[in-house]
Amino acid sequence: MSQLKPDPIGRTALAVEITNRLRQMILEGVMQPGEKINEKALTTQFGVSRTPLREALKVLAAEGLLDLIPHRGAVITRQSEAEVAEVFQVLAALEGLAGDLAAKVASEADLAQITEMTEQLRRSYAETDRPTYFRINQAIHKAILVASGNDTLVKSHELLAHRVQRARYQANLTPERWRAAVEEHEAIAKALSARDTATASRLMQDHLLHKLTSIRVKS
Amino acid sequence: MSQLKPDPIGRTALAVEITNRLRQMILEGVMQPGEKINEKALTTQFGVSRTPLREALKVLAAEGLLDLIPHRGAVITRQSEAEVAEVFQVLAALEGLAGDLAAKVASEADLAQITEMTEQLRRSYAETDRPTYFRINQAIHKAILVASGNDTLVKSHELLAHRVQRARYQANLTPERWRAAVEEHEAIAKALSARDTATASRLMQDHLLHKLTSIRVKS
DNA sequence: GAAGTGAATTATGAATTCAATATTATGTCA
DNA sequence: TGACATAATATTGAATTCATAATTCACTTC
């Protein structure tokens, strides 16, 4: 749905490429919050002119990753703890909706895959393989979103999730929290498979809010 | 909150100005969905060069109002009924959260104002003054969002609400639906004032979903 | 020596120019 | 006449250039 392929073979617009790379750099923390962006420096680094770079900055500003101050340039948005909490509240609502919808409309294949991934999650936890755990965790959340069948929901979620990914990366995963998270995921998978919309929705919301608490504790 | 004033005296960037005007034009239906945008034509109409115009297009595309197809230009996003439904589902979730939060944290002054506006809504309904009704209706929704104290929620909602504003304008308001809507608003105001988070949340969600149905019927 | 003013430098905002791709028009051949 | 190939045109993508505002730094003055 709404999946028209506008760009058949590797001819992505330069501005798009720059947007993605810059976003990645910000999310990975290569560029720190509060840091001012020097257009000239970036153009030489990327080997492009200022025109597509500035277009990329406009997009990232629209996404909330940058603040564009007239005649002063772009600054990486600084995230207060309060703002992260705000975003998580919204994300929780969105994932709650995703849980509800997924329990309603997901295909059996979707549910099977989510269950399968949840088992992988359990294994990566048992092996204390954090990188794998994070990867699978993300994949599960994404899968549930997609299984909701609501593309707008997926995109809205993506936009916001980007903004707290930094905080998420740094979240400290205490042993207790980690164990709880795995169990929550298993409960979610179960509720989805049982087509229990109310429970799936509630569990998804709670799961997100718990995640927020674990981030908060750290700082 | 997050209300830093970046632009003291009237020196808005040209690109921002264009972005706003173009957005307005799209939302008001001056430019129809599916319509292809000719950059040259717009530059002459606005009296600017292509550079800031293209930056504006990038922003609007990020907002989901345009599709940017490589080497083919921008096209106003065409909204299928299914997409509108998707957006409304997400909006319902967001307004549900707003209801929950507002019932929890809104100031007494906020609640008094919402109640007051709800009474105005009733009056405008009694006088069958549709323009006023629409205006107050929007104001109430906005007020509840703001009263939630979650700025991220307000902005996310705004972004999505923009996208269905077109459909909303055209929604047919049958007498029954109109009456029901007013009653729903009164129930919401009551739940908020009673600090009944669960009810406020549920009513807000239902209200939005009902709105969707009334749009659907028409087409 | 510190504060303030003004020139020089640097960075951003916007227009213009150049290049590459897509669209349209024309003509040829079956 | 219709389909295809090719040329002409128009449009988009990106680099360069020009203009304007902000920052920096030196100098004057108290």
Side-chain angles (χ1 to χ4, degrees), chain A residues 92 95-100 141 144 177 180-181 183-194 196-211:
Chain A
E95 297 216 3
L97 173 60
D100 177 89
H141 282 267
I144 295 173
R177 176 61 204 138
E183 284 170 5
E184 284 166 24
H185 265 286
E186 285 169 344
I188 289 167
K190 205 170 138 198
L192 287 174
S193 295
D196 184 344
T197 59
T199 305
S201 177
R202 187 173 46 73
L203 289 177
M204 287 286 283
Q205 281 190 56
D206 292 347
H207 179 61
L208 250 283
L209 294 177
H210 291 161
K211 208 172 271 187

PDB file of all heavy atoms in Angstrom, chain A residues 92 95-100 141 144 177 180-181 183-194 196-211:
ATOM      1  N   ALA A  92       4.095   5.473  23.026  1.00  0.00           N
ATOM      2  CA  ALA A  92       3.318   4.452  23.716  1.00  0.00           C
ATOM      3  C   ALA A  92       1.900   4.400  23.169  1.00  0.00           C
ATOM      4  O   ALA A  92       1.344   3.320  22.937  1.00  0.00           O
ATOM      5  CB  ALA A  92       3.305   4.729  25.218  1.00  0.00           C
ATOM      6  N   GLU A  95       2.084   2.770  19.715  1.00  0.00           N
ATOM      7  CA  GLU A  95       2.311   1.322  19.770  1.00  0.00           C
ATOM      8  C   GLU A  95       1.093   0.618  20.354  1.00  0.00           C
ATOM      9  O   GLU A  95       0.801  -0.529  19.998  1.00  0.00           O
ATOM     10  CB  GLU A  95       3.582   1.019  20.572  1.00  0.00           C
ATOM     11  CG  GLU A  95       4.831   1.617  19.899  1.00  0.00           C
ATOM     12  CD  GLU A  95       6.074   0.746  20.050  1.00  0.00           C
ATOM     13  OE1 GLU A  95       5.985  -0.350  20.626  1.00  0.00           O
ATOM     14  OE2 GLU A  95       7.140   1.176  19.557  1.00  0.00           O
ATOM     15  N   GLY A  96       0.406   1.302  21.251  1.00  0.00           N
ATOM     16  CA  GLY A  96      -0.839   0.742  21.759  1.00  0.00           C
ATOM     17  C   GLY A  96      -1.828   0.513  20.635  1.00  0.00           C
ATOM     18  O   GLY A  96      -2.432  -0.555  20.518  1.00  0.00           O
ATOM     19  N   LEU A  97      -1.954   1.508  19.791  1.00  0.00           N
ATOM     20  CA  LEU A  97      -2.834   1.366  18.630  1.00  0.00           C
ATOM     21  C   LEU A  97      -2.358   0.237  17.732  1.00  0.00           C
ATOM     22  O   LEU A  97      -3.162  -0.557  17.230  1.00  0.00           O
ATOM     23  CB  LEU A  97      -2.876   2.691  17.845  1.00  0.00           C
ATOM     24  CG  LEU A  97      -3.619   2.662  16.517  1.00  0.00           C
ATOM     25  CD1 LEU A  97      -5.083   2.276  16.715  1.00  0.00           C
ATOM     26  CD2 LEU A  97      -3.521   4.023  15.809  1.00  0.00           C
ATOM     27  N   ALA A  98      -1.043   0.167  17.552  1.00  0.00           N
ATOM     28  CA  ALA A  98      -0.489  -0.894  16.704  1.00  0.00           C
ATOM     29  C   ALA A  98      -0.846  -2.267  17.256  1.00  0.00           C
ATOM     30  O   ALA A  98      -1.227  -3.167  16.503  1.00  0.00           O
ATOM     31  CB  ALA A  98       1.025  -0.737  16.597  1.00  0.00           C
ATOM     32  N   GLY A  99      -0.744  -2.412  18.570  1.00  0.00           N
ATOM     33  CA  GLY A  99      -1.084  -3.681  19.192  1.00  0.00           C
ATOM     34  C   GLY A  99      -2.539  -4.034  18.953  1.00  0.00           C
ATOM     35  O   GLY A  99      -2.872  -5.156  18.570  1.00  0.00           O
ATOM     36  N   ASP A 100      -3.385  -3.050  19.146  1.00  0.00           N
ATOM     37  CA  ASP A 100      -4.813  -3.260  18.937  1.00  0.00           C
ATOM     38  C   ASP A 100      -5.106  -3.703  17.508  1.00  0.00           C
ATOM     39  O   ASP A 100      -5.773  -4.715  17.266  1.00  0.00           O
ATOM     40  CB  ASP A 100      -5.549  -1.955  19.254  1.00  0.00           C
ATOM     41  CG  ASP A 100      -7.042  -2.042  18.991  1.00  0.00           C
ATOM     42  OD1 ASP A 100      -7.769  -2.433  19.912  1.00  0.00           O
ATOM     43  OD2 ASP A 100      -7.458  -1.743  17.847  1.00  0.00           O
ATOM     44  N   HIS A 141       9.270  -4.731  17.118  1.00  0.00           N
ATOM     45  CA  HIS A 141       8.413  -3.546  17.181  1.00  0.00           C
ATOM     46  C   HIS A 141       7.979  -3.131  15.780  1.00  0.00           C
ATOM     47  O   HIS A 141       6.811  -2.837  15.535  1.00  0.00           O
ATOM     48  CB  HIS A 141       9.159  -2.401  17.872  1.00  0.00           C
ATOM     49  CG  HIS A 141       9.190  -2.530  19.358  1.00  0.00           C
ATOM     50  ND1 HIS A 141       8.254  -1.958  20.169  1.00  0.00           N
ATOM     51  CD2 HIS A 141      10.032  -3.199  20.178  1.00  0.00           C
ATOM     52  CE1 HIS A 141       8.519  -2.250  21.435  1.00  0.00           C
ATOM     53  NE2 HIS A 141       9.608  -3.007  21.471  1.00  0.00           N
ATOM     54  N   ILE A 144       5.325  -5.508  14.370  1.00  0.00           N
ATOM     55  CA  ILE A 144       3.978  -5.305  14.914  1.00  0.00           C
ATOM     56  C   ILE A 144       3.338  -4.086  14.275  1.00  0.00           C
ATOM     57  O   ILE A 144       2.164  -4.095  13.897  1.00  0.00           O
ATOM     58  CB  ILE A 144       4.032  -5.157  16.449  1.00  0.00           C
ATOM     59  CG1 ILE A 144       4.521  -6.462  17.074  1.00  0.00           C
ATOM     60  CG2 ILE A 144       2.660  -4.771  16.998  1.00  0.00           C
ATOM     61  CD1 ILE A 144       4.763  -6.385  18.567  1.00  0.00           C
ATOM     62  N   ARG A 177      15.513  -5.185  34.441  1.00  0.00           N
ATOM     63  CA  ARG A 177      14.743  -4.578  33.363  1.00  0.00           C
ATOM     64  C   ARG A 177      14.789  -5.449  32.113  1.00  0.00           C
ATOM     65  O   ARG A 177      13.808  -5.608  31.403  1.00  0.00           O
ATOM     66  CB  ARG A 177      15.277  -3.172  33.061  1.00  0.00           C
ATOM     67  CG  ARG A 177      14.618  -2.488  31.883  1.00  0.00           C
ATOM     68  CD  ARG A 177      13.122  -2.286  32.093  1.00  0.00           C
ATOM     69  NE  ARG A 177      12.403  -2.175  30.830  1.00  0.00           N
ATOM     70  CZ  ARG A 177      11.246  -2.750  30.575  1.00  0.00           C
ATOM     71  NH1 ARG A 177      10.648  -3.475  31.499  1.00  0.00           N
ATOM     72  NH2 ARG A 177      10.668  -2.625  29.403  1.00  0.00           N
ATOM     73  N   ALA A 180      12.536  -8.402  32.519  1.00  0.00           N
ATOM     74  CA  ALA A 180      11.149  -7.953  32.435  1.00  0.00           C
ATOM     75  C   ALA A 180      10.760  -7.670  30.985  1.00  0.00           C
ATOM     76  O   ALA A 180       9.670  -8.030  30.534  1.00  0.00           O
ATOM     77  CB  ALA A 180      10.951  -6.712  33.296  1.00  0.00           C
ATOM     78  N   ALA A 181      11.669  -7.028  30.251  1.00  0.00           N
ATOM     79  CA  ALA A 181      11.378  -6.666  28.865  1.00  0.00           C
ATOM     80  C   ALA A 181      11.107  -7.913  28.030  1.00  0.00           C
ATOM     81  O   ALA A 181      10.185  -7.944  27.211  1.00  0.00           O
ATOM     82  CB  ALA A 181      12.540  -5.869  28.276  1.00  0.00           C
ATOM     83  N   GLU A 183      10.032 -10.771  29.101  1.00  0.00           N
ATOM     84  CA  GLU A 183       8.739 -11.342  29.492  1.00  0.00           C
ATOM     85  C   GLU A 183       7.589 -10.527  28.906  1.00  0.00           C
ATOM     86  O   GLU A 183       6.569 -11.094  28.477  1.00  0.00           O
ATOM     87  CB  GLU A 183       8.642 -11.397  31.022  1.00  0.00           C
ATOM     88  CG  GLU A 183       9.468 -12.547  31.590  1.00  0.00           C
ATOM     89  CD  GLU A 183       9.574 -12.479  33.115  1.00  0.00           C
ATOM     90  OE1 GLU A 183       8.911 -11.590  33.707  1.00  0.00           O
ATOM     91  OE2 GLU A 183      10.315 -13.292  33.683  1.00  0.00           O
ATOM     92  N   GLU A 184       7.754  -9.232  28.894  1.00  0.00           N
ATOM     93  CA  GLU A 184       6.718  -8.383  28.301  1.00  0.00           C
ATOM     94  C   GLU A 184       6.526  -8.736  26.834  1.00  0.00           C
ATOM     95  O   GLU A 184       5.405  -8.821  26.329  1.00  0.00           O
ATOM     96  CB  GLU A 184       7.092  -6.903  28.458  1.00  0.00           C
ATOM     97  CG  GLU A 184       6.873  -6.357  29.865  1.00  0.00           C
ATOM     98  CD  GLU A 184       7.553  -5.019  30.074  1.00  0.00           C
ATOM     99  OE1 GLU A 184       7.796  -4.320  29.076  1.00  0.00           O
ATOM    100  OE2 GLU A 184       7.839  -4.674  31.236  1.00  0.00           O
ATOM    101  N   HIS A 185       7.635  -8.913  26.154  1.00  0.00           N
ATOM    102  CA  HIS A 185       7.552  -9.265  24.731  1.00  0.00           C
ATOM    103  C   HIS A 185       6.830 -10.589  24.528  1.00  0.00           C
ATOM    104  O   HIS A 185       6.041 -10.741  23.592  1.00  0.00           O
ATOM    105  CB  HIS A 185       8.956  -9.324  24.118  1.00  0.00           C
ATOM    106  CG  HIS A 185       9.366  -8.051  23.463  1.00  0.00           C
ATOM    107  ND1 HIS A 185       8.851  -7.634  22.256  1.00  0.00           N
ATOM    108  CD2 HIS A 185      10.206  -7.070  23.852  1.00  0.00           C
ATOM    109  CE1 HIS A 185       9.378  -6.465  21.936  1.00  0.00           C
ATOM    110  NE2 HIS A 185      10.205  -6.089  22.891  1.00  0.00           N
ATOM    111  N   GLU A 186       7.099 -11.518  25.415  1.00  0.00           N
ATOM    112  CA  GLU A 186       6.450 -12.823  25.277  1.00  0.00           C
ATOM    113  C   GLU A 186       4.945 -12.703  25.523  1.00  0.00           C
ATOM    114  O   GLU A 186       4.141 -13.323  24.831  1.00  0.00           O
ATOM    115  CB  GLU A 186       7.101 -13.824  26.241  1.00  0.00           C
ATOM    116  CG  GLU A 186       8.473 -14.277  25.731  1.00  0.00           C
ATOM    117  CD  GLU A 186       9.277 -15.049  26.764  1.00  0.00           C
ATOM    118  OE1 GLU A 186       8.931 -14.991  27.954  1.00  0.00           O
ATOM    119  OE2 GLU A 186      10.258 -15.707  26.358  1.00  0.00           O
ATOM    120  N   ALA A 187       4.605 -11.870  26.487  1.00  0.00           N
ATOM    121  CA  ALA A 187       3.184 -11.654  26.768  1.00  0.00           C
ATOM    122  C   ALA A 187       2.500 -10.982  25.577  1.00  0.00           C
ATOM    123  O   ALA A 187       1.364 -11.311  25.216  1.00  0.00           O
ATOM    124  CB  ALA A 187       3.040 -10.796  28.021  1.00  0.00           C
ATOM    125  N   ILE A 188       3.215 -10.048  24.963  1.00  0.00           N
ATOM    126  CA  ILE A 188       2.654  -9.344  23.805  1.00  0.00           C
ATOM    127  C   ILE A 188       2.407 -10.330  22.664  1.00  0.00           C
ATOM    128  O   ILE A 188       1.330 -10.346  22.054  1.00  0.00           O
ATOM    129  CB  ILE A 188       3.595  -8.206  23.355  1.00  0.00           C
ATOM    130  CG1 ILE A 188       3.577  -7.072  24.376  1.00  0.00           C
ATOM    131  CG2 ILE A 188       3.204  -7.707  21.971  1.00  0.00           C
ATOM    132  CD1 ILE A 188       4.680  -6.047  24.191  1.00  0.00           C
ATOM    133  N   ALA A 189       3.412 -11.157  22.394  1.00  0.00           N
ATOM    134  CA  ALA A 189       3.283 -12.131  21.310  1.00  0.00           C
ATOM    135  C   ALA A 189       2.089 -13.053  21.554  1.00  0.00           C
ATOM    136  O   ALA A 189       1.335 -13.378  20.632  1.00  0.00           O
ATOM    137  CB  ALA A 189       4.575 -12.939  21.187  1.00  0.00           C
ATOM    138  N   LYS A 190       1.927 -13.419  22.822  1.00  0.00           N
ATOM    139  CA  LYS A 190       0.834 -14.314  23.197  1.00  0.00           C
ATOM    140  C   LYS A 190      -0.523 -13.634  22.961  1.00  0.00           C
ATOM    141  O   LYS A 190      -1.436 -14.220  22.376  1.00  0.00           O
ATOM    142  CB  LYS A 190       0.986 -14.693  24.670  1.00  0.00           C
ATOM    143  CG  LYS A 190       0.338 -16.016  25.033  1.00  0.00           C
ATOM    144  CD  LYS A 190       0.752 -16.434  26.437  1.00  0.00           C
ATOM    145  CE  LYS A 190      -0.415 -16.987  27.226  1.00  0.00           C
ATOM    146  NZ  LYS A 190      -0.162 -17.007  28.672  1.00  0.00           N
ATOM    147  N   ALA A 191      -0.615 -12.391  23.425  1.00  0.00           N
ATOM    148  CA  ALA A 191      -1.873 -11.649  23.273  1.00  0.00           C
ATOM    149  C   ALA A 191      -2.211 -11.460  21.808  1.00  0.00           C
ATOM    150  O   ALA A 191      -3.373 -11.578  21.395  1.00  0.00           O
ATOM    151  CB  ALA A 191      -1.762 -10.305  23.979  1.00  0.00           C
ATOM    152  N   LEU A 192      -1.208 -11.174  21.014  1.00  0.00           N
ATOM    153  CA  LEU A 192      -1.443 -10.982  19.582  1.00  0.00           C
ATOM    154  C   LEU A 192      -1.961 -12.276  18.961  1.00  0.00           C
ATOM    155  O   LEU A 192      -2.944 -12.271  18.217  1.00  0.00           O
ATOM    156  CB  LEU A 192      -0.157 -10.537  18.889  1.00  0.00           C
ATOM    157  CG  LEU A 192       0.306  -9.105  19.148  1.00  0.00           C
ATOM    158  CD1 LEU A 192       1.663  -8.859  18.511  1.00  0.00           C
ATOM    159  CD2 LEU A 192      -0.714  -8.108  18.607  1.00  0.00           C
ATOM    160  N   SER A 193      -1.284 -13.362  19.275  1.00  0.00           N
ATOM    161  CA  SER A 193      -1.678 -14.647  18.701  1.00  0.00           C
ATOM    162  C   SER A 193      -3.087 -15.023  19.119  1.00  0.00           C
ATOM    163  O   SER A 193      -3.812 -15.686  18.381  1.00  0.00           O
ATOM    164  CB  SER A 193      -0.700 -15.737  19.139  1.00  0.00           C
ATOM    165  OG  SER A 193       0.579 -15.471  18.595  1.00  0.00           O
ATOM    166  N   ALA A 194      -3.460 -14.611  20.329  1.00  0.00           N
ATOM    167  CA  ALA A 194      -4.806 -14.912  20.826  1.00  0.00           C
ATOM    168  C   ALA A 194      -5.834 -13.915  20.297  1.00  0.00           C
ATOM    169  O   ALA A 194      -7.016 -13.996  20.620  1.00  0.00           O
ATOM    170  CB  ALA A 194      -4.804 -14.909  22.353  1.00  0.00           C
ATOM    171  N   ASP A 196      -6.232 -10.996  21.143  1.00  0.00           N
ATOM    172  CA  ASP A 196      -6.781 -10.255  22.280  1.00  0.00           C
ATOM    173  C   ASP A 196      -6.373  -8.779  22.134  1.00  0.00           C
ATOM    174  O   ASP A 196      -5.321  -8.350  22.621  1.00  0.00           O
ATOM    175  CB  ASP A 196      -6.218 -10.846  23.575  1.00  0.00           C
ATOM    176  CG  ASP A 196      -6.815 -10.182  24.813  1.00  0.00           C
ATOM    177  OD1 ASP A 196      -7.405  -9.089  24.680  1.00  0.00           O
ATOM    178  OD2 ASP A 196      -6.670 -10.766  25.903  1.00  0.00           O
ATOM    179  N   THR A 197      -7.214  -8.020  21.465  1.00  0.00           N
ATOM    180  CA  THR A 197      -6.863  -6.641  21.114  1.00  0.00           C
ATOM    181  C   THR A 197      -6.603  -5.781  22.350  1.00  0.00           C
ATOM    182  O   THR A 197      -5.615  -5.048  22.405  1.00  0.00           O
ATOM    183  CB  THR A 197      -7.983  -5.977  20.286  1.00  0.00           C
ATOM    184  OG1 THR A 197      -9.186  -5.984  21.052  1.00  0.00           O
ATOM    185  CG2 THR A 197      -8.206  -6.707  18.979  1.00  0.00           C
ATOM    186  N   ALA A 198      -7.498  -5.852  23.321  1.00  0.00           N
ATOM    187  CA  ALA A 198      -7.370  -4.991  24.495  1.00  0.00           C
ATOM    188  C   ALA A 198      -6.057  -5.254  25.222  1.00  0.00           C
ATOM    189  O   ALA A 198      -5.312  -4.324  25.556  1.00  0.00           O
ATOM    190  CB  ALA A 198      -8.556  -5.203  25.424  1.00  0.00           C
ATOM    191  N   THR A 199      -5.752  -6.507  25.439  1.00  0.00           N
ATOM    192  CA  THR A 199      -4.523  -6.851  26.156  1.00  0.00           C
ATOM    193  C   THR A 199      -3.295  -6.465  25.348  1.00  0.00           C
ATOM    194  O   THR A 199      -2.340  -5.887  25.886  1.00  0.00           O
ATOM    195  CB  THR A 199      -4.496  -8.365  26.460  1.00  0.00           C
ATOM    196  OG1 THR A 199      -5.677  -8.716  27.170  1.00  0.00           O
ATOM    197  CG2 THR A 199      -3.269  -8.716  27.281  1.00  0.00           C
ATOM    198  N   ALA A 200      -3.308  -6.790  24.077  1.00  0.00           N
ATOM    199  CA  ALA A 200      -2.165  -6.453  23.230  1.00  0.00           C
ATOM    200  C   ALA A 200      -1.906  -4.957  23.280  1.00  0.00           C
ATOM    201  O   ALA A 200      -0.764  -4.506  23.411  1.00  0.00           O
ATOM    202  CB  ALA A 200      -2.425  -6.899  21.791  1.00  0.00           C
ATOM    203  N   SER A 201      -2.964  -4.190  23.181  1.00  0.00           N
ATOM    204  CA  SER A 201      -2.821  -2.736  23.197  1.00  0.00           C
ATOM    205  C   SER A 201      -2.232  -2.260  24.518  1.00  0.00           C
ATOM    206  O   SER A 201      -1.272  -1.484  24.552  1.00  0.00           O
ATOM    207  CB  SER A 201      -4.188  -2.094  22.968  1.00  0.00           C
ATOM    208  OG  SER A 201      -4.085  -0.700  23.058  1.00  0.00           O
ATOM    209  N   ARG A 202      -2.788  -2.759  25.601  1.00  0.00           N
ATOM    210  CA  ARG A 202      -2.332  -2.328  26.922  1.00  0.00           C
ATOM    211  C   ARG A 202      -0.874  -2.734  27.161  1.00  0.00           C
ATOM    212  O   ARG A 202      -0.057  -1.926  27.622  1.00  0.00           O
ATOM    213  CB  ARG A 202      -3.234  -2.942  27.996  1.00  0.00           C
ATOM    214  CG  ARG A 202      -2.963  -2.444  29.410  1.00  0.00           C
ATOM    215  CD  ARG A 202      -4.013  -2.960  30.385  1.00  0.00           C
ATOM    216  NE  ARG A 202      -4.299  -4.384  30.223  1.00  0.00           N
ATOM    217  CZ  ARG A 202      -3.458  -5.365  30.605  1.00  0.00           C
ATOM    218  NH1 ARG A 202      -2.297  -5.067  31.151  1.00  0.00           N
ATOM    219  NH2 ARG A 202      -3.809  -6.625  30.414  1.00  0.00           N
ATOM    220  N   LEU A 203      -0.540  -3.955  26.798  1.00  0.00           N
ATOM    221  CA  LEU A 203       0.825  -4.443  27.020  1.00  0.00           C
ATOM    222  C   LEU A 203       1.840  -3.619  26.222  1.00  0.00           C
ATOM    223  O   LEU A 203       2.916  -3.299  26.710  1.00  0.00           O
ATOM    224  CB  LEU A 203       0.927  -5.918  26.639  1.00  0.00           C
ATOM    225  CG  LEU A 203       0.214  -6.897  27.574  1.00  0.00           C
ATOM    226  CD1 LEU A 203       0.342  -8.322  27.041  1.00  0.00           C
ATOM    227  CD2 LEU A 203       0.788  -6.806  28.984  1.00  0.00           C
ATOM    228  N   MET A 204       1.478  -3.301  24.988  1.00  0.00           N
ATOM    229  CA  MET A 204       2.388  -2.508  24.157  1.00  0.00           C
ATOM    230  C   MET A 204       2.640  -1.153  24.800  1.00  0.00           C
ATOM    231  O   MET A 204       3.776  -0.679  24.868  1.00  0.00           O
ATOM    232  CB  MET A 204       1.785  -2.312  22.761  1.00  0.00           C
ATOM    233  CG  MET A 204       1.793  -3.547  21.891  1.00  0.00           C
ATOM    234  SD  MET A 204       3.432  -3.968  21.265  1.00  0.00           S
ATOM    235  CE  MET A 204       3.618  -2.759  19.953  1.00  0.00           C
ATOM    236  N   GLN A 205       1.565  -0.537  25.266  1.00  0.00           N
ATOM    237  CA  GLN A 205       1.712   0.776  25.907  1.00  0.00           C
ATOM    238  C   GLN A 205       2.601   0.686  27.138  1.00  0.00           C
ATOM    239  O   GLN A 205       3.548   1.461  27.300  1.00  0.00           O
ATOM    240  CB  GLN A 205       0.340   1.310  26.321  1.00  0.00           C
ATOM    241  CG  GLN A 205      -0.450   1.900  25.178  1.00  0.00           C
ATOM    242  CD  GLN A 205      -1.690   2.622  25.682  1.00  0.00           C
ATOM    243  OE1 GLN A 205      -1.613   3.521  26.501  1.00  0.00           O
ATOM    244  NE2 GLN A 205      -2.840   2.203  25.188  1.00  0.00           N
ATOM    245  N   ASP A 206       2.292  -0.270  27.985  1.00  0.00           N
ATOM    246  CA  ASP A 206       3.055  -0.417  29.218  1.00  0.00           C
ATOM    247  C   ASP A 206       4.530  -0.682  28.920  1.00  0.00           C
ATOM    248  O   ASP A 206       5.421  -0.133  29.559  1.00  0.00           O
ATOM    249  CB  ASP A 206       2.476  -1.567  30.053  1.00  0.00           C
ATOM    250  CG  ASP A 206       1.099  -1.218  30.586  1.00  0.00           C
ATOM    251  OD1 ASP A 206       0.732  -0.029  30.509  1.00  0.00           O
ATOM    252  OD2 ASP A 206       0.391  -2.129  31.075  1.00  0.00           O
ATOM    253  N   HIS A 207       4.741  -1.535  27.927  1.00  0.00           N
ATOM    254  CA  HIS A 207       6.113  -1.887  27.562  1.00  0.00           C
ATOM    255  C   HIS A 207       6.917  -0.627  27.237  1.00  0.00           C
ATOM    256  O   HIS A 207       8.041  -0.460  27.711  1.00  0.00           O
ATOM    257  CB  HIS A 207       6.078  -2.824  26.354  1.00  0.00           C
ATOM    258  CG  HIS A 207       7.425  -3.234  25.862  1.00  0.00           C
ATOM    259  ND1 HIS A 207       8.321  -3.939  26.636  1.00  0.00           N
ATOM    260  CD2 HIS A 207       8.051  -3.038  24.676  1.00  0.00           C
ATOM    261  CE1 HIS A 207       9.423  -4.159  25.943  1.00  0.00           C
ATOM    262  NE2 HIS A 207       9.283  -3.615  24.742  1.00  0.00           N
ATOM    263  N   LEU A 208       6.322   0.236  26.470  1.00  0.00           N
ATOM    264  CA  LEU A 208       7.011   1.485  26.085  1.00  0.00           C
ATOM    265  C   LEU A 208       7.268   2.373  27.302  1.00  0.00           C
ATOM    266  O   LEU A 208       8.358   2.934  27.471  1.00  0.00           O
ATOM    267  CB  LEU A 208       6.166   2.242  25.060  1.00  0.00           C
ATOM    268  CG  LEU A 208       6.699   2.290  23.649  1.00  0.00           C
ATOM    269  CD1 LEU A 208       7.832   3.287  23.509  1.00  0.00           C
ATOM    270  CD2 LEU A 208       7.200   0.900  23.253  1.00  0.00           C
ATOM    271  N   LEU A 209       6.267   2.478  28.138  1.00  0.00           N
ATOM    272  CA  LEU A 209       6.416   3.342  29.304  1.00  0.00           C
ATOM    273  C   LEU A 209       7.470   2.786  30.261  1.00  0.00           C
ATOM    274  O   LEU A 209       8.219   3.545  30.878  1.00  0.00           O
ATOM    275  CB  LEU A 209       5.060   3.498  30.007  1.00  0.00           C
ATOM    276  CG  LEU A 209       4.031   4.247  29.139  1.00  0.00           C
ATOM    277  CD1 LEU A 209       2.671   4.323  29.827  1.00  0.00           C
ATOM    278  CD2 LEU A 209       4.519   5.659  28.791  1.00  0.00           C
ATOM    279  N   HIS A 210       7.552   1.485  30.364  1.00  0.00           N
ATOM    280  CA  HIS A 210       8.608   0.878  31.183  1.00  0.00           C
ATOM    281  C   HIS A 210       9.976   1.222  30.621  1.00  0.00           C
ATOM    282  O   HIS A 210      10.916   1.519  31.337  1.00  0.00           O
ATOM    283  CB  HIS A 210       8.440  -0.637  31.217  1.00  0.00           C
ATOM    284  CG  HIS A 210       7.237  -1.081  31.984  1.00  0.00           C
ATOM    285  ND1 HIS A 210       6.677  -2.323  31.832  1.00  0.00           N
ATOM    286  CD2 HIS A 210       6.467  -0.441  32.899  1.00  0.00           C
ATOM    287  CE1 HIS A 210       5.617  -2.434  32.621  1.00  0.00           C
ATOM    288  NE2 HIS A 210       5.472  -1.290  33.271  1.00  0.00           N
ATOM    289  N   LYS A 211      10.055   1.175  29.304  1.00  0.00           N
ATOM    290  CA  LYS A 211      11.317   1.498  28.640  1.00  0.00           C
ATOM    291  C   LYS A 211      11.748   2.912  29.024  1.00  0.00           C
ATOM    292  O   LYS A 211      12.912   3.179  29.303  1.00  0.00           O
ATOM    293  CB  LYS A 211      11.137   1.383  27.119  1.00  0.00           C
ATOM    294  CG  LYS A 211      12.397   1.026  26.369  1.00  0.00           C
ATOM    295  CD  LYS A 211      12.110   0.733  24.912  1.00  0.00           C
ATOM    296  CE  LYS A 211      11.766  -0.725  24.658  1.00  0.00           C
ATOM    297  NZ  LYS A 211      11.641  -1.061  23.234  1.00  0.00           N
TER     298      LYS A 211
END
